[in-house]
Amino acid sequence: MSSSDFRQIAVRVESGKAERLFRAAVSAFCSLTRPSRREIAQLEDLTLPLFDSVSTESRRYVAAALSECEYAPAALVRRLCEEAVDIAAPLLIRSPAVSDIDLIALIGRHGLPHARAIARRKDLNPTIADLIRAIEKPTLVRQRKPEPVVRAVAESVEIVEVAPAPQPEPGIAAENARRRLRSMMRPAGDSLGASVNPFLGSETYAKLRETALTGNAAFFQTALADALEIDFQTARSLTANQNYASLLAALRSLDLSEDRAFLITVAVYPTQFPHPHAIRLFLDRYRLLHRDVALNKVRGWKAVTLSKAIRDTGHTAANGDTRNASNSDDAPVSASLRA
């Protein structure tokens, strides 16, 4: 028997150990009535390194087991939801660990198969249900000015849309959809005048999100200038480009999560995400962009703002000195007047 044969046998043995350990760890975790945070973190540390080594059957088994678990590890659940729908379906249908924002992102990345599984969830958010109906039957749901998030996700699954029959008051329907999207992103029971729940998002993110969803570029640029502490002209230049590279760095410097950064970017650049690959490319770029690099770019923008302020102050002072000199009694008399 050659050395390569021994290596193959060793690989099969190790693969079998990974399969058994992967299943046993999840089964033991699901038997816990109320696992602690430490136990949840331990399961993630144990299973995620094994994820790529286990078979499809083991992933399907684990997804089905965790779908009934109230305290399932979020990182492992998200990893399983990114699998094909025949693996992820139990989690998409039943798991309480998958949030509404996660569901929107999954529909954008994986399209109709995941959307149909999500449609079977009990107590599904009405906005997400409308989105799924728009994806399945686009001729039935579309207003004159569609919501940017709905339009981007619908376009991401390459839907050919047909103009709907004229509605008596399309502006009301569009505003209702916009209000429902905002309420979905807002904490439960939160009023318009109440402070934002820090667990779900900072006040800065809420302001950027609200202004981006208005569709008014000036409102969003003003909020962005306040968040980055730069002037309005510089903030406007960040969103005036054909691509979202500058906005990506700005959002990364604010340390926003991927789903929040995507929601804001797709509201500002809805045409940049015509298919799932574009969304996947955005997420990859956002993950690979180091925050220190983004902060250096913001420092450069702040330096530009400061230099403009200093230059404007200098011009104002110089103009004031000139006017004072011309009006002073000590001003030099011209040669013609002296003559």
Side-chain angles (χ1 to χ4, degrees), residues 242-262:
Q242 295 296 324
N243 57 67
Y244 53 79
S246 297
L247 180 60
L248 192 79
L251 299 178
R252 188 69 184 88
S253 70
L254 297 173
D255 205 19
L256 296 183
S257 61
E258 297 171 3
D259 48 0
R260 290 176 175 178
F262 174 72

Side-chain angles (χ1 to χ4, degrees), residues 100-112:
D100 287 342
I101 296 179
D102 292 333
L103 295 175
I104 293 177
L106 287 168
I107 293 173
R109 286 194 291 268
H110 299 281
L112 195 55

